[in-house]
Coordinates of all heavy atoms in Angstrom, one line a residue:
G1143 N -17.5 13.2 6.3 CA -16.1 13.4 6.7 C -15.3 13.3 5.5 O -15.7 12.9 4.4
A1144 N -14.0 13.7 5.6 CA -13.0 13.7 4.5 C -11.7 13.3 5.1 O -11.4 13.4 6.3 CB -13.0 15.0 3.9
G1145 N -10.8 12.9 4.2 CA -9.4 12.5 4.6 C -8.5 12.6 3.4 O -8.9 12.7 2.2
S1146 N -7.2 12.7 3.7 CA -6.2 12.7 2.6 C -4.9 12.1 3.1 O -4.8 11.8 4.3 CB -6.0 14.2 2.2 OG -5.6 15.0 3.3
T1147 N -4.0 12.0 2.2 CA -2.7 11.4 2.5 C -1.6 12.3 2.1 O -1.8 13.3 1.4 CB -2.5 10.0 1.7 OG1 -2.3 10.3 0.3 CG2 -3.7 9.1 1.9
Q1148 N -0.4 12.0 2.5 CA 0.8 12.6 1.9 C 1.1 12.0 0.6 O 0.4 11.1 0.1 CB 2.0 12.4 2.9 CG 2.3 11.0 3.1 CD 3.5 10.8 4.1 OE1 4.0 11.8 4.5 NE2 3.8 9.6 4.5
V1149 N 2.2 12.4 -0.1 CA 2.5 11.8 -1.4 C 3.0 10.4 -1.1 O 3.8 10.1 -0.2 CB 3.7 12.6 -2.0 CG1 4.2 11.8 -3.2 CG2 3.2 13.9 -2.4
L1150 N 2.3 9.5 -1.8 CA 2.5 8.0 -1.6 C 3.4 7.3 -2.6 O 4.0 6.3 -2.3 CB 1.1 7.3 -1.6 CG 0.1 7.8 -0.6 CD1 -1.2 7.0 -0.7 CD2 0.6 7.6 0.9
G1151 N 3.5 7.9 -3.8 CA 4.4 7.3 -4.8 C 4.4 8.0 -6.0 O 3.9 9.2 -6.1
G1152 N 4.9 7.4 -7.1 CA 5.0 8.0 -8.4 C 3.8 7.6 -9.3 O 2.6 7.8 -8.9
N1153 N 4.1 7.0 -10.5 CA 3.1 6.7 -11.4 C 2.4 5.4 -11.0 O 1.1 5.3 -11.1 CB 3.6 6.6 -12.8 CG 4.1 7.9 -13.3 OD1 3.8 9.0 -12.8 ND2 5.0 7.9 -14.3
T1154 N 3.1 4.4 -10.7 CA 2.6 3.1 -10.3 C 3.2 2.6 -9.0 O 4.5 2.6 -8.9 CB 2.9 2.1 -11.5 OG1 2.3 2.6 -12.7 CG2 2.3 0.7 -11.2
F1155 N 2.4 2.1 -8.1 CA 2.9 1.6 -6.9 C 1.9 0.7 -6.2 O 0.7 0.7 -6.6 CB 3.3 2.7 -5.9 CG 2.3 3.8 -5.7 CD1 1.4 3.7 -4.7 CD2 2.3 4.9 -6.6 CE1 0.4 4.7 -4.5 CE2 1.4 5.9 -6.4 CZ 0.4 5.8 -5.4
S1156 N 2.3 0.0 -5.2 CA 1.4 -1.0 -4.6 C 1.6 -1.0 -3.1 O 2.8 -0.7 -2.6 CB 1.6 -2.4 -5.2 OG 0.9 -3.4 -4.4
F1157 N 0.6 -1.4 -2.4 CA 0.7 -1.5 -0.9 C 0.6 -2.9 -0.4 O 0.5 -3.1 0.8 CB -0.3 -0.6 -0.2 CG -0.1 0.9 -0.4 CD1 -0.8 1.6 -1.4 CD2 0.8 1.5 0.4 CE1 -0.5 2.9 -1.5 CE2 1.1 2.9 0.2 CZ 0.4 3.6 -0.7
K1158 N 0.7 -3.9 -1.3 CA 0.7 -5.2 -0.9 C 1.9 -5.6 -0.1 O 3.0 -5.1 -0.4 CB 0.6 -6.2 -2.1 CG -0.8 -6.1 -2.8 CD -0.9 -7.1 -4.0 CE -2.3 -7.0 -4.6 NZ -2.4 -8.0 -5.7
S1159 N 1.8 -6.5 0.8 CA 2.9 -6.9 1.7 C 4.0 -7.5 0.9 O 3.7 -8.2 -0.1 CB 2.4 -7.8 2.8 OG 3.5 -8.3 3.5
A1160 N 5.2 -7.2 1.3 CA 6.4 -7.8 0.6 C 6.4 -9.3 0.7 O 7.0 -10.0 -0.1 CB 7.7 -7.2 1.2
K1161 N 5.7 -9.8 1.7 CA 5.7 -11.3 1.9 C 4.6 -12.0 1.0 O 4.4 -13.2 1.1 CB 5.4 -11.7 3.4 CG 6.5 -11.2 4.3 CD 6.2 -11.7 5.8 CE 7.3 -11.2 6.7 NZ 7.0 -11.6 8.1
N1162 N 4.0 -11.2 0.2 CA 3.0 -11.7 -0.8 C 1.8 -12.3 -0.1 O 1.1 -13.2 -0.7 CB 3.6 -12.8 -1.6 CG 3.7 -12.4 -3.1 OD1 3.2 -11.4 -3.5 ND2 4.4 -13.2 -3.9
N1163 N 1.5 -11.9 1.1 CA 0.3 -12.3 1.8 C -0.9 -11.4 1.3 O -0.8 -10.2 1.4 CB 0.4 -12.1 3.3 CG -0.7 -12.7 4.0 OD1 -1.9 -12.8 3.5 ND2 -0.4 -13.2 5.3
P1164 N -1.9 -12.0 0.6 CA -3.0 -11.1 0.0 C -3.8 -10.4 1.1 O -4.5 -9.4 0.8 CB -3.8 -12.2 -0.7 CG -3.6 -13.5 0.0 CD -2.1 -13.4 0.4
N1165 N -3.7 -10.8 2.3 CA -4.4 -10.1 3.4 C -3.6 -9.1 4.1 O -4.1 -8.5 5.1 CB -5.0 -11.1 4.3 CG -6.0 -12.1 3.6 OD1 -6.8 -11.6 2.9 ND2 -5.9 -13.4 3.9
K1166 N -2.3 -8.9 3.8 CA -1.5 -8.0 4.5 C -1.1 -6.8 3.6 O -0.7 -7.1 2.4 CB -0.2 -8.7 5.0 CG -0.5 -9.6 6.2 CD 0.8 -10.1 6.7 CE 1.1 -9.4 8.0 NZ 2.3 -10.0 8.7
F1167 N -1.2 -5.6 4.1 CA -0.8 -4.4 3.3 C 0.0 -3.5 4.2 O -0.1 -3.5 5.4 CB -2.1 -3.7 2.8 CG -3.0 -4.6 1.9 CD1 -3.9 -5.4 2.5 CD2 -2.8 -4.5 0.6 CE1 -4.7 -6.2 1.6 CE2 -3.6 -5.3 -0.3 CZ -4.5 -6.1 0.3
D1168 N 0.8 -2.7 3.5 CA 1.5 -1.6 4.2 C 0.6 -0.6 4.7 O -0.4 -0.2 4.0 CB 2.6 -1.0 3.3 CG 3.6 -2.0 2.8 OD1 3.8 -3.0 3.6 OD2 4.2 -1.8 1.8
N1169 N 0.9 0.0 5.8 CA 0.0 0.9 6.5 C 0.0 2.3 5.8 O -0.9 3.1 6.0 CB 0.3 1.1 7.9 CG -0.1 -0.1 8.8 OD1 -1.0 -0.8 8.4 ND2 0.7 -0.3 9.8

């Protein structure tokens, strides 16, 4: 199988939760 995304960001970005929880990420 294969998959892809839309444009997610620029040069540098992160999906870590804003609450700094290491186990939570933006979808």
